[in-house]
Amino acid sequence: MSDEPTITTIARRAGVSIASVSRVLNGLPTRAETERRVMSVAREIGYVPNSAARSLKSRRSNQIGFAMADIGNPVYLAMVREIQPMLKAAGYRLVLHSTNADAADEIDVLRGLGERYIDGLIMIPLRVTDGHLEMFAAARAPIVVIGSVPEGTPVDNVRVDSRAGVRLVVQHLHGLGRRRIGFVNGPLDTVPGAARSAAYAEALETLGLPYDRNLVEVGDFYRADGARAAARLLERVPDLDALLCANDLIALGALDVLRRAGRRVPEDVAVAGMDDTDLATIAWPPLTSVSLGSAERGRAAAELLLDRLDRDGRAPRTVTVEPRLVTRASTMGEETP
């Protein structure tokens, strides 16, 4: 027989029922004196709860999943810095999963909710497919989606108006006298890529500038892909005087290309990114970027999920974060003393 202490041992030594010990150890309401006696004995005998057995019985894992495209992207790291301490304070562990923006992998994660290895999920799908929507509707655990989803999708949702962010930066570049404003975007079949493409065209029209397909290049949301796309655009349109990049990683790649080409930033080409990550402040020159509230979105997602876990049954909620333009030397130039 094992000498490992059990709840039966605690019950016998504390002079209470096994049911009372179980209630105390699971954090359920009980008399203060009973709680004091049970916890005192548990500490005295070195009792360690069998979390696996408790999980099987309660169907709770005390774990929350966070599925994102790229665990190395500073946008997602900023979110994790907000989400993890909030979940920890509420008694949950955060489990990270990098999907590489693979829809099949994301759907597999959603399907796994039925196995209850996590109690809830925060997800950032770059592409929202019919398969995603079917799994959202059938999910057996709470889900919060960061990013745009169709109206009526039965999940809590945190979104940002990235179209407004594109308009802010195009207006900023136009106000600086730039008229050949190029755009390096990510894949058009992604939610952010499609939204930012439409917003770029709308912003030009509002300012009375013609939309020129030659000024647009599509790559992916990574630094190396951004560099290759910027190089193609610069070769095709050598006289562009401004460059809007769909995220900061693309912008860093574009800065590398311009530097190698001997083009001065911002004197020859003003450059702006989106996301306003930590990379924007350490780039050279420091990068003008549109803040899409990564930390705020992470915090809102954690709040929605914890509220859902506490009060399941309420109607899905949507939180919208407004963008903010942060200007730096890549468009404004260095400040003179």
Side-chain angles (χ1 to χ4, degrees):
M1 179 180 294
S2 171
D3 293 328
E4 183 175 298
T6 66
I7 62 172
T8 302
T9 310
I10 298 174
R12 185 174 61 253
R13 294 197 180 193
V16 299
S17 69
I18 293 175
S20 293
V21 174
S22 179
R23 289 182 64 83
V24 171
L25 296 179
N26 283 284
L28 298 175
T30 189
R31 293 173 53 196
E33 176 59 18
T34 299
E35 180 178 358
R36 185 192 65 76
R37 288 160 61 185
V38 167
M39 295 307 296
S40 176
V41 171
R43 286 191 295 269
E44 178 184 333
I45 66 177
Y47 174 77
V48 178
N50 186 335
S51 58
R54 286 173 58 189
S55 175
L56 287 171
K57 187 174 181 179
S58 68
R59 303 292 288 167
R60 297 290 290 271
S61 68
N62 296 319
Q63 297 189 143
I64 300 296
F66 182 24
M68 71 212 82
D70 174 17
I71 200 169
N73 189 314
V75 169
Y76 305 139
L77 294 178
M79 292 179 180
V80 169
R81 291 190 193 106
E82 295 294 323
I83 294 169
Q84 186 163 356
M86 293 178 65
L87 295 183
K88 183 178 180 181
Y92 293 94
R93 292 180 295 272
L94 183 63
V95 179
L96 305 181
H97 183 83
S98 188
T99 67
N100 198 31
D102 180 5
D105 188 38
E106 291 168 352
I107 290 170
D108 192 52
V109 171
L110 290 166
R111 188 176 292 112
L113 289 173
E115 300 172 8
R116 303 300 300 203
Y117 70 93
I118 52 176
D119 298 329
L121 176 67
I122 298 172
M123 171 174 274
I124 311 180
L126 295 187
R127 299 170 179 86
V128 179
T129 67
D130 289 342
H132 285 89
L133 298 178
E134 290 174 8
M135 296 306 298
F136 290 157
R140 297 175 61 185
I143 299 171
V144 177
V145 173
I146 301 178
S148 296
V149 293
E151 293 299 325
T153 302
V155 294
D156 292 310
N157 181 218
V158 180
R159 58 180 62 184
V160 63
D161 189 354
S162 63
R163 289 192 176 211
V166 171
R167 290 194 295 270
L168 284 173
V169 72
V170 172
Q171 290 166 359
H172 168 66
L173 294 169
H174 183 268
L176 295 173
R178 311 291 172 148
R179 296 297 181 267
R180 299 281 282 167
I181 303 172
F183 179 38
V184 180
N185 199 4
L188 297 179
D189 66 339
T190 64
V191 173
R196 292 168 201 188
S197 176
Y200 169 76
E202 292 167 1
L204 293 179
E205 182 180 4
T206 299
L207 294 168
L209 296 176
Y211 177 85
D212 184 349
R213 179 66 186 82
N214 285 324
L215 286 169
V216 179
E217 191 59 58
V218 174
D220 210 333
F221 294 111
Y222 299 96
R223 180 171 183 163
D225 291 279
R228 287 189 287 268
R232 293 193 298 268
L233 179 55
L234 191 62
E235 181 178 3
R236 188 169 65 244
V237 189
D239 64 336
L240 64 80
D241 60 9
L243 189 57
L244 165 61
C245 301
N247 72 1
D248 289 349
L249 291 172
I250 294 174
L252 290 182
L255 288 174
D256 293 339
V257 169
L258 291 166
R259 191 176 299 114
R260 289 195 299 267
R263 304 294 296 276
R264 299 171 301 163
V265 177
E267 292 85 356
D268 300 326
V269 183
V271 178
M274 296 190 71
D275 287 329
D276 192 37
T277 61
D278 291 344
L279 296 175
T281 61
I282 63 175
W284 188 257
L287 182 67
T288 288
S289 187
V290 178
S291 171
L292 299 178
S294 299
E296 186 179 352
R297 283 184 286 157
R299 187 162 55 251
E303 289 172 351
L304 286 173
L305 188 61
L306 289 172
D307 186 54
R308 173 68 64 185
L309 287 164
D310 187 49
R311 296 189 298 158
D312 195 13
R314 62 165 174 73
R317 292 166 52 194
T318 297
V319 174
T320 301
V321 175
E322 292 300 322
R324 179 174 56 90
L325 179 66
V326 182
T327 58
R328 298 188 179 92
S330 69
T331 62
M332 301 295 291
E334 293 294 326
E335 294 183 4
T336 56

